[in-house]
Amino acid sequence: MVIVQQEIERLDRVHEAIERYAVDRLQTIGRHEAYTRELEQQRLGSVDWREKNDLAEKLIEHGHHSPRKYLHEFTQQASPYFGILGIHDNDRRIGKKEYLIGNQTLMDGQRVVVIDWRKAEITGPFYEGYDIGEEYELTIRGVEREGVITRRDKVTIARKALTRIETPSETYELRGGAWHKNGGAVETTADTKERTEDHRMVDSIAALISPEQFRAITKLRDGVVVINGAAGAGKTTVALHRLSFLMFDAPEKYRPERCIVLMFNRVLRDYVKQSSDTLLGPVRVDTYSAWSLTALAAIGVHSLKTVFDDPFGAQKKSSRVPALLAKYVKETTKIEPVTDLWRFLMQDYVVAALCSDAGTEFQQVARKKFAAKDRMVSFSDVSILLRLAQLRRPAGAVVPGALNAYDHIVVDEAQDLSSLELRTIIAASSAARSLTICADEKQQILSFLDSQGFSSVIAQLQSQGLEKENLTVSYRCPKEIVDLAAQVSGRNADTTKAHSGVVGFHPTRHAAESMAKIRDIVEGMVQAAPTSLTGVICKKKADVKALHAALAGVTGLHAEGEVSFLPGVQVIHAHAIKGVEFSNVILYNPSSYDYRQTDPDRNLLYVAITRACKTLHIVHHQPLAQGLRHAAQSET
């Protein structure tokens, strides 16, 4: 196979260039640092103050040009590129040319060997879905370019070895030590993760970005961009890659230390946080709860004690709170922040607005805390406290990490944040208000959350020039699973790009039989695909322990309570799975008793179903939730 041999030889040349770059980089750094030491010795040995000053100025100027600032280590040796873009430009000085596209630029002297995918003016045709032979018109560095696309291939390189070439018409794959033509289907994100034995949101996903995702990622503008789309449409992928693109394209405007990614929960945070430094670098990735506490510390609120339980948590997350806070701040003067919180909560008009019943108890609790100067707060209190502290600051005040400070903020699963929580985040962004917000109201799963909160914030932002990006195509799930999810949610999704998969229903007589059936299914999956990750999802936290015990001894079973993205089997409850994905999902007893006909429960079931990239098995011993019944009856 000629193409295989050509690409193996090309990869060898790239590896040679990587080695040359590493040697040249170290030599350049070494020369620079040797001259630095020489200047320092001259300055130390000088007795003339004028000469000392001149040498000090030389040292400062020399430091500004340190090669460590612009000659970055090439960290992609194992997989230096993933795409090949061929063009035949009308300009004869350019003519026929092929670009290698990867996660990091590689130079060989003055020659570009690999182009970073974020160089959108060049890499755009690779992502935009051009056909071979199609004409292009590009503007590169202000120069109009025209020509024809001659090649648009994807390659897989693992551990420095070429293992796959995917052209628009043919696929070449290395299997069993030999190359096979048309040996496999189009690779999905699940295939990529199984091949690398890493089920995090890894950088190699950049090779799989779709045209609509690429357009959303490379949208350059200040202000708020809301990314909406069904489960599996790539909202989180787009948001994170968009931040990476912004920092690459305008580093002086989007500084990593002034950017932050806020996730729904710790599972999702860890899923993203463990991505390689190539994508996000030193950008902080955290949960809203963890960030809000550090923001309070930055703004001067210390020595807090926190608790999770709060009998009035739903009232405190009401969409009425922002207006009540605005009224309170306008009518009162600043006092110690935590005491200020209790004073706000004990106001008669606050109690009347938030509590249709139990208002007396709500007010009494606040009064007791106010009198005792209590510093024990719930996480429902934290967002009120933070917003109150922000509002007490003068207009335009900047507090790093807390107020008018961040160059860009990514907010994921925003539909499950209260309107007040979203306002604290928006207030923490710089005056440019540059944010990327991912949301899907069909995935709002918190029953205590005021459903009007998210829409009220979006409506307010809409008047300030908010821009929406709707991702219409579901890529994660097979068509069979997307169709089932549509029955549950009542929302159809575009399955034109969906691959085929498996949905299976397994009725049993009782819980013990259900768990035994799950064990049989899991053992078969582990044997068939040892590098896959299977999620066993249940509604109740109490069922996690029983399921884990039933799976004891299964190869690859992750420890109870441990969240790992290594291949194997993960037992997890439904509220902890937002944003993550598994090769295979097994739903344990999704019954009508656990998933009722309420929006949060329907949404939670929809979320659980759409975590599956390949197969979905539903094992149940009680009557199924309404959205699943018809599909189960059809199967039988």
Side-chain angles (χ1 to χ4, degrees):
M1 301 178 191
V2 176
I3 187 174
V4 172
Q5 187 58 40
Q6 288 175 341
E7 292 309 318
I8 290 174
E9 292 173 358
R10 187 204 300 265
L11 180 57
D12 288 341
R13 293 194 298 271
V14 170
H15 283 143
E16 291 169 1
I18 292 172
E19 293 175 4
R20 285 194 296 272
Y21 174 79
V23 171
D24 291 346
R25 175 179 177 271
L26 291 177
Q27 288 179 345
T28 303
I29 291 172
R31 288 193 295 270
H32 183 274
E33 293 180 349
Y35 186 51
T36 299
R37 290 191 295 271
E38 181 182 335
L39 289 174
E40 287 173 343
Q41 289 297 323
Q42 290 177 16
R43 187 173 64 86
L44 288 172
S46 176
V47 295
D48 186 321
W49 66 269
R50 293 185 183 84
E51 185 180 28
K52 276 184 177 292
N53 286 345
D54 288 343
L55 288 167
E57 289 178 5
K58 280 186 178 180
L59 275 167
I60 294 171
E61 180 64 22
H62 187 59
H64 288 326
H65 300 286
S66 171
R68 290 189 182 275
K69 296 179 181 179
Y70 59 88
L71 289 180
H72 302 290
E73 181 182 2
F74 188 76
T75 60
Q76 304 295 305
Q77 295 95 330
S79 182
Y81 56 96
F82 53 75
I84 304 171
L85 174 66
I87 66 168
H88 189 175
D89 201 274
N90 290 348
D91 187 335
R92 292 183 179 180
R93 292 170 297 180
I94 299 171
K96 293 183 178 180
K97 192 174 182 65
E98 290 186 352
Y99 297 102
L100 303 183
I101 301 170
N103 285 309
Q104 187 180 359
T105 295
L106 172 66
M107 300 293 295
D108 187 12
Q110 299 299 312
R111 184 174 67 91
V112 179
V113 179
V114 179
I115 295 177
D116 194 300
W117 68 268
R118 294 166 290 190
K119 197 69 174 174
E121 58 182 6
I122 297 175
T123 63
F126 177 79
Y127 288 107
E128 290 286 359
Y130 280 83
D131 293 327
I132 305 304
E134 186 173 351
E135 295 181 353
Y136 63 83
E137 293 182 2
L138 304 173
T139 301
I140 300 178
R141 296 176 183 173
V143 178
E144 298 295 328
R145 296 264 293 271
E146 296 179 354
V148 174
I149 299 296
T150 60
R151 190 173 183 185
R152 197 168 65 83
D153 299 347
K154 295 177 183 178
V155 297
T156 299
I157 301 169
R159 298 181 178 89
K160 299 185 177 183
L162 182 69
T163 60
R164 182 184 174 97
I165 304 169
E166 185 182 318
T167 76
S169 59
E170 297 170 327
T171 299
Y172 304 83
E173 198 167 37
L174 180 64
R175 298 197 314 271
W179 281 90
H180 301 266
K181 186 176 179 178
N182 294 327
V186 174
E187 191 168 61
T188 66
T189 56
D191 295 325
T192 302
K193 292 176 179 183
E194 290 179 17
R195 173 174 47 77
T196 60
E197 300 184 31
D198 186 345
H199 291 265
R200 301 171 298 167
M201 186 174 288
V202 290
D203 286 341
S204 54
I205 287 176
L208 306 174
I209 292 170
S210 71
E212 69 168 355
Q213 291 173 338
F214 185 74
R215 287 189 288 271
I217 287 167
T218 54
K219 182 182 293 294
L220 248 187
R221 66 183 298 274
D222 287 333
V224 181
V225 174
V226 174
I227 300 174
N228 186 267
K235 296 183 294 297
T236 304
T237 296
V238 168
L240 298 177
H241 283 76
R242 179 168 188 257
L243 173 56
S244 181
F245 171 77
L246 292 173
M247 293 188 297
F248 175 86
D249 196 76
E252 72 292 340
K253 191 174 182 181
Y254 301 99
R255 298 159 291 183
E257 68 277 8
R258 288 293 186 96
C259 296
I260 190 169
V261 177
L262 297 177
M263 312 306 291
F264 173 66
N265 57 28
R266 286 179 292 178
V267 174
L268 190 51
R269 177 200 64 188
D270 293 344
Y271 182 59
V272 173
K273 196 173 185 177
Q274 295 178 42
S275 293
S276 79
D277 289 342
T278 305
L279 187 61
L280 296 176
V283 171
R284 179 181 176 185
V285 179
D286 222 329
T287 62
Y288 173 83
S289 297
W291 168 76
S292 59
L293 290 173
T294 59
L296 280 169
I299 216 166
V301 183
H302 303 282
S303 304
L304 293 174
K305 297 179 181 179
T306 56
V307 294
F308 284 98
D309 295 331
D310 187 337
F312 304 107
Q315 290 90 331
K316 292 173 182 177
K317 288 183 179 291
S318 167
S319 57
R320 296 180 177 182
V321 173
L324 295 170
L325 268 176
K327 171 181 170 64
Y328 172 74
V329 169
K330 185 177 180 180
E331 296 177 352
T332 59
T333 57
K334 182 179 179 180
I335 58 175
E336 192 279 323
V338 182
T339 309
D340 207 6
L341 166 69
W342 307 135
R343 187 176 67 174
F344 165 71
L345 292 174
M346 59 189 266
Q347 298 299 308
D348 290 338
Y349 62 87
V350 173
V351 177
L354 299 183
C355 299
S356 56
D357 53 14
T360 302
E361 184 183 354
F362 182 95
Q363 193 170 48
Q364 286 176 347
V365 170
R367 282 175 174 167
K368 286 180 181 178
K369 287 180 172 289
F370 176 80
K373 296 183 178 179
D374 195 339
R375 302 192 72 77
M376 180 74 74
V377 298
S378 72
F379 279 98
S380 299
D381 293 321
V382 166
S383 58
I384 302 175
L385 178 57
L386 176 55
R387 186 66 187 128
L388 182 54
Q390 290 174 333
L391 290 169
R392 290 295 191 191
R393 287 291 177 124
V398 175
V399 180
L403 183 63
N404 296 321
Y406 285 105
D407 295 342
H408 193 82
I409 303 176
V410 172
V411 188
D412 201 27
E413 305 291 353
Q415 75 280 347
D416 278 310
L417 292 173
S418 71
S419 61
L420 190 70
E421 290 168 334
L422 287 169
R423 282 176 168 84
T424 62
I425 295 168
I426 293 167
S429 65
S430 68
R433 295 291 183 252
S434 182
L435 299 97
T436 302
I437 298 175
C438 300
D440 177 12
E441 292 182 81
K442 287 290 186 182
Q443 295 187 61
Q444 188 178 71
I445 63 172
L446 300 181
S447 58
F448 57 81
L449 204 62
D450 182 347
S451 60
Q452 300 302 312
F454 174 73
S455 57
S456 68
V457 174
I458 295 302
Q460 180 181 336
L461 291 171
Q462 191 84 46
S463 65
Q464 301 171 12
L466 171 149
E467 187 166 339
K468 286 187 177 180
E469 285 290 329
N470 293 312
L471 302 179
T472 59
V473 181
S474 178
Y475 295 92
R476 175 193 301 146
C477 304
K479 182 182 185 302
E480 297 82 356
I481 294 175
V482 175
D483 289 342
L484 179 61
Q487 292 183 37
V488 170
S489 68
R491 175 178 65 185
N492 293 322
D494 185 343
T495 59
T496 55
K497 302 293 185 181
H499 51 286
S500 61
V502 174
V503 174
F505 287 86
H506 309 274
T508 63
R509 292 169 295 179
H510 46 72
E513 188 175 326
S514 288
M515 292 187 185
K517 182 63 178 178
I518 288 175
R519 185 182 181 101
D520 288 343
I521 295 172
V522 166
E523 288 178 333
M525 287 177 170
V526 170
Q527 184 174 5
T531 62
S532 66
L533 178 61
T534 296
V536 180
I537 301 173
C538 55
K539 171 74 182 291
K540 301 171 185 173
K541 289 185 179 180
D543 288 331
V544 171
K545 185 174 289 293
L547 282 164
H548 199 274
L551 294 173
V554 169
T555 302
L557 179 64
H558 298 159
E560 182 183 345
E562 175 191 42
V563 177
S564 172
F565 303 109
L566 295 173
V569 182
Q570 176 83 58
V571 181
I572 192 166
H573 67 91
H575 280 90
I577 58 173
K578 291 292 288 292
V580 300
E581 61 185 31
F582 304 93
S583 299
N584 316 296
V585 163
I586 302 172
L587 286 189
Y588 170 71
N589 198 38
S591 70
S592 58
Y593 307 109
D594 287 338
Y595 295 95
R596 298 159 296 170
Q597 282 301 98
T598 63
D599 285 342
D601 272 358
R602 275 195 297 269
N603 293 347
L604 186 60
L605 182 57
Y606 170 80
V607 169
I609 289 169
T610 55
R611 300 309 95 192
C613 297
K614 292 188 173 182
T615 66
L616 171 68
H617 291 275
I618 296 172
V619 180
H620 64 101
H621 51 273
Q622 291 178 315
L624 284 168
Q626 184 169 316
L628 300 176
R629 291 176 197 166
H630 177 71
Q633 291 167 358
S634 299
E635 186 176 272
T636 57

